[in-house]
Amino acid sequence: MGRMALGTTLLIAVALISGYLASVDGHLGESEWEYNLVDSRGRTIYSYGKGKPPPAKDKNGKDLQMGDEVISECTYDNVTQQCSSLTSSDYELLSRPAPPVASPIGQKLLILINNNPSCLPNPLDPGGLTIDAVRTKYFGSDGKGTQQGCVARTIEDCSYGNVKMDPVNSYIDFVVPGCWNTSICEGYYNIDGFMRNAATAKGIDLTKYDRYHWIVRGWNCGWSGAAQTPGTIVWMQPWGLDTVALYQEPVHHYYRWHGYGATATSAGASIEYKDPTTFMGNGWACPSAPELATMGWASAANNAGNLNRDTVPAGPGFAGPFKLPATYMTGAGAYVRMRTDWLPNYYLSDGVTINTVQPNRNLYFALNVHDVQADRDVDPLAGKMSNNRQCNFTTYFQPNSRNTLTRYQLVVYTGNWEGSKSSILPTYFSLLARVTPAPAAPAAPAAKPASTAVAAAEPSPFSPSTEPTPTPAPSPATQPAPFPPAAPSSAEPPALRQGKQQAPRSPPKPPKTPKRPRGAPKPPRPPKKRPGRKHRRPPPPPPPPA
């Protein structure tokens, strides 16, 4: 179905192709993003080229998202090898499959290393890598995938066993690809084509594997690694095997986005890749709570998946306890999700629609705290491939502490570590609000229904031997000073208040007498003390009578 463009020497073809929309998010900004159509195994059917995303809607006005099955009518330019036209009229949505399920998965990896040093101007050499070195990176020194720190063990631990890499049915080898253009940053899918052809030439059956990891020289490229989202392909630079990208890229098959965080020079602005708490940013730990929630690898604590203005009381009350385990232990009940809808600009004037003009943030509390864009977090599971929530590292809290998040008008209390491994942190929440002074006449206390909102008069929620139970709310006459208090008050959990108490002070010392200025007369000496009774002279005898 082709035609020759009149008046030119360029061959233009109109191709009608179907497949699934996929992307590779370049690490140098949107101009490096590359979009394509893939088949059900992730093999490229058609690449649109760098920086050419599909339109937001198809020709029928339906939204388009990564992972959608579409028919694309591509006007293909054989010279640029890209589509010259990408408008809504070029697409028709066929179906919207569910995002890739991140459990349970057993991955069979084909890991191929480029080895063609004859390519010019830059060789496609393996950078000193050996098959044994690559196997150790992926499956540990014993090749079984159980050694701490190898990719297989890390991904299995972070997913709580939902994703496992199969060391027995995976394969690692060198191949000799044809020379791609090493004078520029070559496109991901051009490299993919060369590596697949090299594998076929060596007699490797690509259909025996479901994940394809290409260790290649991406000359003049700024990426250490990249991945198809959703999809099955990972591209790694030889030097990238020593970076967090080695753990990050396999997760991109199930979750497209990176972690954000402020830096010392960003003036409080969030920067992509700068979350120090997770390898989805620039740290070395597992994905953060909102990322784990979206992939279905972690769940909220009991009654803590949707805290909001109806469930978080203003001081002196507080909501809790929420016993949050360290995420290395379990994903079950591992976080608190909070909609900050008590803030005045959270909703539009209708009180229902989340404000996008002044974007607000929802909060996720684990042992670290992250915030995400609220209007894209209505359903956490829906954010895998579309609608970047910009998961941003906010802060972390020490145990047995009181912490104020002023931006969110929220106070967070933490207790002491609990559990046999001291890895469970009791956490409580209260809105930062000042209580109106109560009238002098006390009112009869009203019984408070059972809920996670705990009155200020309760016993210590941080005591490991007792679980707090709801008690009648204090009467207005017994309420403490305005919240937050300048000194410990009954609004704070007793154990926390005890930790703040100080030892009694010793009596103040008398002030020192100032020194006499040079040349000033000496002050008169004080009279001598009377001698003691033992050394006191007897009084003179009385005078004789006249």
Side-chain angles (χ1 to χ4, degrees), residues 240-272:
L241 299 184
D242 294 322
T243 71
V244 297
L246 185 60
Y247 307 99
Q248 180 187 105
E249 304 309 335
V251 176
H252 276 320
H253 294 326
Y254 312 106
Y255 182 83
R256 181 178 177 184
W257 315 109
H258 298 111
Y260 289 68
T263 68
T265 59
S266 66
S270 296
I271 308 298
E272 192 174 7

Side-chain angles (χ1 to χ4, degrees), residues 525-531:
R525 291 184 178 180
K528 293 183 178 180
K529 294 183 179 180
R530 296 177 63 188

Side-chain angles (χ1 to χ4, degrees), residues 38-60:
V38 300
D39 62 15
S40 59
R41 296 180 63 85
R43 183 181 65 85
T44 300
I45 298 174
Y46 196 81
S47 175
Y48 297 115
K50 291 183 179 179
K52 290 189 174 183
K57 297 181 182 295
D58 76 346
K59 64 182 181 180
N60 298 316

Side-chain angles (χ1 to χ4, degrees), residues 269-291:
S270 296
I271 308 298
E272 192 174 7
Y273 306 109
K274 297 302 183 182
D275 184 348
T277 69
T278 166
F279 57 64
M280 299 308 289
N282 62 356
W284 290 93
C286 293
S288 64
E291 294 161 346

Side-chain angles (χ1 to χ4, degrees), residues 10-253:
L10 302 180
L11 180 63
I12 305 295
V14 177
L16 190 65
I17 49 181
S18 65
Y20 301 90
L21 287 175
S23 74
V24 180
D25 290 0
H27 291 222
L28 299 177
E30 294 185 11
S31 64
E32 290 294 316
W33 288 3
E34 192 167 341
Y35 298 86
N36 71 328
L37 287 180
V38 300
D39 62 15
S40 59
R41 296 180 63 85
R43 183 181 65 85
T44 300
I45 298 174
Y46 196 81
S47 175
Y48 297 115
K50 291 183 179 179
K52 290 189 174 183
K57 297 181 182 295
D58 76 346
K59 64 182 181 180
N60 298 316
K62 297 179 180 178
D63 291 337
L64 292 177
Q65 299 178 5
M66 290 299 104
D68 285 349
E69 183 182 11
V70 299
I71 291 178
S72 174
E73 185 173 328
C74 169
T75 305
Y76 182 63
D77 188 323
N78 280 324
V79 175
T80 64
Q81 298 185 351
Q82 294 182 359
C83 288
S84 60
S85 176
L86 285 172
T87 64
S88 292
S89 61
D90 295 322
Y91 290 88
E92 182 177 2
L93 178 65
L94 295 181
S95 67
R96 176 159 295 159
V101 178
S103 64
I105 301 293
Q107 296 182 351
K108 300 175 183 178
L109 277 63
L110 176 61
I111 306 170
L112 298 181
I113 311 162
N114 71 193
N115 187 18
N116 190 347
S118 64
C119 294
L120 298 174
N122 297 303
L124 298 179
D125 62 290
L129 289 177
T130 65
I131 291 177
D132 286 341
V134 173
R135 180 178 291 109
T136 299
K137 290 287 187 182
Y138 275 85
F139 299 110
S141 57
D142 60 0
K144 297 180 180 179
T146 58
Q147 186 174 345
Q148 196 78 33
C150 72
V151 179
R153 171 67 183 272
T154 299
I155 298 300
E156 182 175 350
D157 285 351
C158 290
S159 68
Y160 307 104
N162 285 301
V163 177
K164 298 181 179 181
M165 294 180 174
D166 183 351
V168 175
N169 294 299
S170 295
Y171 182 70
I172 305 172
D173 203 352
F174 289 107
V175 293
V176 182
C179 297
W180 55 77
N181 190 348
T182 60
S183 64
I184 63 170
C185 179
E186 186 59 280
Y188 300 106
Y189 291 108
N190 285 347
I191 294 175
D192 174 61
F194 279 105
M195 293 298 286
R196 288 176 184 270
N197 290 338
T200 301
K202 195 167 185 176
I204 298 173
D205 183 0
L206 294 170
T207 63
K208 293 174 61 176
Y209 309 96
D210 50 32
R211 295 293 184 275
Y212 307 93
H213 288 221
W214 310 140
I215 302 176
V216 295
R217 282 286 193 178
W219 288 102
N220 302 297
C221 297
W223 48 267
S224 55
Q228 193 180 46
T229 58
T232 59
I233 310 169
V234 166
W235 296 260
M236 292 297 305
Q237 299 261 23
W239 54 269
L241 299 184
D242 294 322
T243 71
V244 297
L246 185 60
Y247 307 99
Q248 180 187 105
E249 304 309 335
V251 176
H252 276 320
H253 294 326

Side-chain angles (χ1 to χ4, degrees), residues 406-495:
T406 305
R407 174 181 176 182
Y408 302 103
Q409 295 296 291
L410 185 70
V411 179
V412 183
Y413 299 99
T414 59
N416 288 317
W417 292 110
E418 295 182 2
S420 58
K421 296 183 179 180
S422 296
S423 54
I424 298 174
L425 190 66
T427 308
Y428 296 72
F429 305 96
S430 178
L431 298 188
L432 183 62
R434 294 193 175 275
V435 180
T436 303
K448 193 171 184 178
S451 71
T452 56
V454 184
E458 290 180 329
S460 168
F462 297 154
S463 172
S465 60
T466 60
E467 287 289 337
T469 55
T471 61
S475 64
T478 61
Q479 290 183 353
F483 190 86
S489 79
S490 62
E492 295 183 355

